[in-house]
Amino acid sequence: MKSFKEVVGFHGHSCPGLALGYRVALAALKETGMERTSEDEELVAIVENNSCAVDAIQVVTGCTLGKGNLICRNYGKQVYTFIKRPSGDSVRISIDFTPPPENREEEEIWRRYREGDRSEEVQKIVNMKKEKKTQAILEAADGELLKITRLMMPLPPFARIYQSLRCEKCGEKMAEPGARLRDGKIVCIPCAERDER
Ligand SMILES: [Zn+2]
Ligand SMILES: [Zn+2]
């Protein structure tokens, strides 16, 4: 099992979002009865945001964008669904966390930070508070942090291998779903969008 430190090593810094993703990933492995997947695509993750948390999901569960068993549907929600192949047994995890209340002084610091104050004084307190929140997330009980629902999900298709086509405008190659037809020419999306502007 990956430690939070290893996850921080991959992500580049420690932050509350990463801690949330770490807790979701641990719960997902526990709920699905899986350690890190040994075979490709045994577990598929559908994530509903593209925040720091997703990096923790990738490191801990082995569901990655590159392997095609991590699907991002960016609804801006802290919701994660894990589907087991081949059974379709799934677990949906949503984050519902109330951070510890802030005092007047802390609220004032946040206000200054939001308004763009990056003075050493503000930065130091903000970092301290982030660290405090990260710790609170790592130490919270599952029930204080996560809403876990079991369900059955249809299996998403395996990662497909697409034919490669050459853009008739820029000459670069693209996978078939990236091809567009413009004025009878096969072009890539950037070239198609350049024409529309
Ligand atoms: Zn982060
Ligand atoms: Zn092109």
Side-chain angles (χ1 to χ4, degrees):
M1 189 72 75
K2 299 277 176 183
S3 66
F4 186 61
K5 211 176 145 195
E6 287 173 279
V7 174
V8 171
F10 175 79
H11 182 58
H13 64 242
S14 167
C15 65
L18 195 69
L20 287 172
Y22 184 65
R23 292 297 308 266
V24 167
L26 293 186
L29 293 185
K30 195 170 104 190
E31 291 292 323
T32 55
M34 294 182 83
E35 290 300 305
R36 190 189 163 105
T37 59
S38 48
E39 273 170 51
D40 276 1
E41 302 198 34
E42 277 184 349
L43 196 65
V44 178
I46 300 174
V47 302
E48 297 188 17
N49 64 78
N50 61 355
S51 72
C52 296
V54 177
D55 277 355
I57 305 284
Q58 296 195 83
V59 173
V60 177
T61 67
C63 297
T64 71
L65 189 62
K67 273 194 293 187
N69 60 346
L70 180 118
I71 298 164
C72 180
R73 295 197 183 131
N74 193 0
Y75 305 142
K77 293 177 71 175
Q78 286 286 352
V79 175
Y80 305 84
T81 306
F82 298 86
I83 308 167
K84 248 171 107 167
R85 288 190 209 271
S87 66
D89 280 331
S90 304
V91 56
R92 181 184 192 271
I93 304 176
S94 77
I95 294 175
D96 192 358
F97 177 59
T98 312
E102 308 200 320
N103 59 37
R104 200 44 89 68
E105 195 191 350
E106 288 173 325
E107 279 172 14
E108 172 62 15
I109 289 288
W110 277 125
R111 190 189 57 75
R112 285 169 61 187
Y113 186 75
R114 275 198 305 271
E115 286 170 6
D117 186 340
R118 294 293 183 273
S119 64
E120 209 177 305
E121 183 204 3
V122 166
Q123 203 77 60
K124 204 172 128 193
I125 294 173
V126 165
N127 289 343
M128 233 169 63
K129 284 186 50 58
K130 278 191 186 161
E131 194 45 47
K132 209 171 101 185
K133 196 173 164 194
T134 303
Q135 276 311 317
I137 291 164
L138 291 176
E139 287 160 16
D142 275 355
E144 296 174 298
L145 200 62
L146 312 170
K147 282 212 172 89
I148 301 175
T149 325
R150 287 175 170 278
L151 63 162
M152 287 296 283
M153 291 277 287
L155 289 177
F158 277 89
R160 285 178 58 183
I161 295 167
Y162 293 103
Q163 190 189 346
S164 163
L165 298 172
R166 196 178 286 280
C167 173
E168 292 183 55
K169 279 224 153 141
C170 67
E172 291 176 353
K173 286 185 175 178
M174 69 236 161
E176 203 185 333
R180 297 292 179 269
L181 197 61
R182 289 290 180 279
D183 304 324
K185 283 193 160 84
I186 292 170
V187 299
C188 68
I189 293 172
C191 284
E193 285 180 347
R194 212 169 295 130
D195 280 354
E196 280 156 18
R197 262 188 269 126

